[in-house]
Each structure stands twice: as C-alpha cells, then as structure tokens.
C-alpha cells in the first residue's frame, strides 16, 4: 500500500526534536535529510539576565513583556529575584511563558491575544501607554516592529536578550543542504520556528540568494509550523505552501502529506 510521502525527499531544520519529526515523516514514506540549524544557549556570562534584573531594580518599569518560557527560566536561574519582576505588570506572549512564570511563583497580568508580536501589540495598545516604560525580553535579535508601535503610543521601550541562538550543525552540513535545494535534490523543507528562517537564508545568500529563493517558490514545497514562522518566510519573499491549523509538528506533517496526496490526484 502506498504512503502519501513515498519517495519524497524532505529537509528538516528542527533542533529540539529532530528524531521525532524524522519518525513522523518516515512513517509516511519520506526520505529525510535532518540538519538542525539552531540551539538555544544563554547569552555569554548571563549578562543579559543580570542587566534585565538590574533594570527592574533601578528603573521604574510599568510593563514587562516575556516572549518565551526559555527566557523566563534562564532569567530566574541566573538571578532568582521574581519579587523584583512582580513590581511591574507582566504580559506573557503565550502558554510557555505563562507556565515558566508560574514555576517562578509569578502570574501573568496579561496574556497576548495571540502568541505573536501582533497579539502582544493588540493587548498592550488597550493599555494607557503614554509615558510608560516597557521592558521586553528578547532572544537574540531586536524587534523593531514592537518597539516602533509602542513608541508611537508614547512608551519608552527597553529590549534585553536573555539568550541567543547558536549554530547546531557544522557549517558544511548546512551548506550541503542548501546545495541540495539548489540542485533540485530536495522536494520539501520544514521550518519549525521563525528563527530558523533568517539563519538558513543567511547561509544561502553566501551561495546563491536568488536561485535559493526561486527554488523555494517553484520547486520545493515549503512547510511552516505556524503563523509566526510563515511571517518570517514571507518577510524574505517566500510564501509557505503548507501551514497547519494547529502550530505543532504532527499537524504540520499531516498537512504536508495531504498536500502531496492532492498533487498526485
């Protein structure tokens, strides 16, 4: 009996659970090339965590935005002062941040309308922001969209990275995956986080930026795990072909299989 992904060559960039994603795809017949791109690592010497707490101690901060559960955990692992953070109104982007805050003995005063920058903005813009100071937990890169929108409402925005992303695979392995895409040796690629997208594209840009984007638009089926990752792809000129209704690996694999089944008809 044929399977929906029989013979389909799928590149995966997942770093947390690559074995599980590989198994899901292989059960449906896929040939998997696994190349984890990123791993989460604390900022060197945890300087970001210490600066974050120092700002809370020495500055009047009205709102604190936590983007990730990883960031919350690393913050309090390095400087265990949740009482200092509790002085401010806390907004959590999504359930992982909410649960991490609970582990630290804190409750989120606000939860974003959706687990995106747009969701955070929709929630915060209902608050009186003029003259307020907002501290934002980042993870390796600035967020100008958030900062600009809040500043337009009269807020002062301070962003501090608690951790950043380090390369998980050898550079040669990442380059090899890009070359296979350029040489039409990959039929589909999955992205399971937004941060994977610019990282891979930076490597591709060193080889052949235009040809890489052309392949992802016309020859390779691009599967995105969800809305945030899809937005990252669109920002670089690539429209994902597959995006599940639920932002998880299992639904993404199911949606990818359905895409190829329809193509066979």
């Amino acid at each position: 009996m044929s399977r929906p992904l029989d013979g389909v060559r799928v590149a995966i960039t997942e770093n947390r659970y690559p074995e599980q994603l590989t198994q899901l795809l292989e059960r449906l017949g896929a040939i998997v090339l696994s190349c984890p791109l990123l791993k989460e690592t604390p900022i060197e010497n945890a300087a970001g965590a210490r600066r974050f707490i120092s700002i809370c101690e020495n500055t009047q901060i009205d709102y604190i935005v936590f983007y990730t559960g990883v960031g919350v955990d690393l913050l309090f692992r390095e400087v265990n002062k949740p009482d200092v953070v509790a002085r401010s109104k806390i907004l959590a982007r999504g359930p992982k941040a909410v649960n991490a805050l609970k582990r630290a003995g804190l409750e989120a005063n606000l939860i974003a309308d959706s687990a995106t920058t747009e969701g955070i903005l929709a929630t915060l813009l209902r608050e009186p922001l003029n003259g307020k100071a907002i501290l934002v937990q980042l993870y390796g890169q600035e967020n100008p969209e958030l900062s600009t929108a809040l500043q337009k409402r009269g807020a002062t925005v301070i962003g501090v990275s608690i951790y950043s992303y380090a390369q998980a695979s050898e550079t040669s392995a990442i380059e090899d995956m890009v070359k296979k895409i350029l040489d039409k040796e990959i039929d589909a690629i999955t992205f399971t986080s937004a941060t994977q997208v610019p990282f891979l594209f930076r490597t591709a840009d060193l080889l052949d930026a235009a040809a890489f984007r052309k392949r992802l638009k016309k020859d390779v089926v691009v599967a995105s795990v969800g809305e945030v990752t899809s937005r990252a792809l669109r920002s670089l000129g690539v429209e994902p072909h597959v995006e599940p209704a639920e932002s998880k690996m299992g639904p993404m694999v199911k949606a990818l299989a359905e895409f190829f089944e329809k193509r066979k008809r």
Side-chain angles (χ1 to χ4, degrees):
M1 183 176 177
S2 65
R3 294 171 293 180
L5 295 178
D6 272 338
V8 176
R9 301 164 296 182
V10 182
I12 68 172
T13 57
E14 166 65 14
N15 59 289
R16 289 184 181 178
Y17 307 107
E19 295 85 4
Q20 290 91 323
L21 181 53
T22 296
Q23 288 172 5
L24 289 170
L25 290 162
E26 287 181 342
R27 284 175 193 156
L28 298 176
I31 301 165
V32 178
L33 171 65
S34 178
C35 184
L37 291 180
L38 306 170
K39 56 185 177 182
E40 292 165 349
T41 57
I43 287 179
E44 188 176 354
N45 298 323
R50 291 195 294 273
R51 179 172 175 243
F52 194 99
I53 294 297
S54 176
I55 290 170
C56 292
E57 288 179 316
N58 300 301
T59 308
Q60 175 61 46
I61 297 296
D62 300 289
Y63 296 88
I64 298 177
V65 176
F66 284 105
Y67 259 87
T68 65
V70 172
V72 175
D73 288 337
L74 289 173
L75 174 65
F76 294 121
R77 189 182 308 167
E78 177 63 24
V79 187
N80 190 24
K81 292 185 177 181
D83 55 312
V84 174
V85 171
R87 299 173 188 170
S88 307
K89 202 167 186 178
I90 299 171
L91 182 148
R93 179 181 65 167
K96 292 180 181 179
V98 169
N99 291 332
L101 286 163
K102 287 180 179 177
R103 288 193 292 272
L106 296 169
E107 291 289 335
N109 305 103
L110 301 167
I111 299 174
D113 288 1
S114 63
T116 63
T117 293
E118 286 80 3
I120 290 173
L121 283 171
T123 305
L124 278 178
L125 293 180
R126 292 195 291 267
E127 300 285 313
L129 299 181
N130 189 39
K132 303 296 185 181
I134 303 173
L135 178 60
V136 182
Q137 173 253 310
L138 300 173
Y139 46 103
Q141 57 186 12
E142 296 297 319
N143 190 326
E145 178 186 355
L146 181 70
S147 297
T148 300
L150 295 176
Q151 287 165 354
K152 285 181 179 178
R153 293 294 293 267
T156 298
V157 183
I158 306 169
V160 179
S161 284
I162 304 300
Y163 66 101
S164 58
Y165 291 95
Q167 186 169 306
S169 295
E170 294 292 333
T171 300
S172 58
I174 300 171
E175 290 177 344
D176 181 61
M177 181 172 70
V178 171
K179 289 174 182 176
K180 286 182 182 297
I181 290 170
L182 293 173
D183 294 338
K184 298 186 179 181
E185 295 176 16
I186 294 294
D187 302 304
I189 184 169
T190 65
F191 291 95
T192 47
S193 79
T195 46
Q196 294 165 0
V197 177
F199 188 91
L200 180 61
F201 274 65
R202 280 195 295 271
T203 300
D205 287 349
L206 297 175
L207 298 172
D208 193 330
F212 182 74
R213 283 166 173 76
K214 183 179 179 180
R215 289 283 180 266
L216 294 189
K217 290 178 181 179
K218 296 185 177 181
D219 304 306
V220 178
V221 176
V222 178
S224 160
V225 76
E227 179 186 352
V228 177
T229 303
S230 294
R231 189 178 302 110
L233 285 161
R234 292 187 187 105
S235 73
L236 291 171
V238 175
E239 181 68 30
H241 304 90
V242 173
E243 180 188 322
E246 186 180 9
S247 298
K248 293 183 178 179
M249 289 195 303
M252 178 187 69
V253 171
K254 182 181 178 182
L256 181 65
E258 290 172 350
F259 181 93
F260 276 93
E261 280 188 314
K262 289 178 182 177
R263 179 179 273 188
K264 291 176 183 177
R265 293 171 188 167

